[in-house]
Amino acid sequence: QAFFCLLLCIPWGSSCPRSCQCTERAGAKAVLCSSRHLEEIPKDIPRDVVFLKLDSNSITRIPSNAFRHLSRLEEIDLSRNAIEKIDRAAFKGVAAGLRRLDLSGNRIRSVPKEALLALKAKLRLANNPWHCECALQEVLWEARLDPESVRGITCHTAPRQEYVGKPLLQVLDAGANFCGVRQRSTDAAVFVTMFGWFAMLVAYVLCYVRHNRGDSCRHGGHLRSPPSAQPRAE
């Protein structure tokens, strides 16, 4: 925060989004778009930006390739927006260089795990109405979360009512496993499908055997029956 305050003192001479303020310090360029009533991520952000503040706006979605052209981007602050949807390729092109991403204080219920697990950035995900599920559990275990914000990842909804309102970390520490529930459901579905195919195969074999047996009986009976008597000539 202090660093961004210092950046405010040194304006850019280059192009800058109309609703933002652009500054530079020691070669690090920042685009400051806090509290500007933005409803989407600006399209004209300079390519050499390092720090991008988009907090306290009304942004509802992070679309695919939203930051792809910003190859030097290291920090993004999207806290305190109205973000509900994050596309799978939202951070494509910046995943390797991004060091910090703040998504706290939004309306995010779920997120494609691919969008976050590809990042090396330290994530802040607190104060969102999360639905506790397998994808969120995998993000908690595998992503680089800011330790100070982990407790703020709370189950707004969950498969079991007893988990609602509790921090996800506490729920998992108590023995819950959302991925295990999904795995058991998948295993059951596979078992039912295999049983169905097996039943169809058995029915087909029985039908085939009965059909051939019936043909054999008819053929055998035909061979055993005596030839019809020929009429005697008058």
Side-chain angles (χ1 to χ4, degrees), residues 19 39 59 65 84 92 124 133 144 146 149 152 162 165 167 185 191 198 205:
S19 57
E39 296 182 358
I59 298 170
N65 302 309
E84 297 180 353
K92 187 175 182 179
R124 296 181 65 90
E133 57 181 348
R144 293 186 62 232
D146 187 330
S149 69
E162 63 189 274
S185 300
F191 176 78
F198 180 74
V205 171

Side-chain angles (χ1 to χ4, degrees), residues 33-53:
C33 309
S34 304
S35 304
R36 301 301 174 99
H37 307 290
L38 299 176
E39 296 182 358
E40 60 180 18
I41 297 170
K43 301 290 192 301
D44 52 349
I45 298 173
R47 292 178 175 271
D48 53 352
V49 63
V50 177
F51 305 100
L52 177 60
K53 283 184 68 67

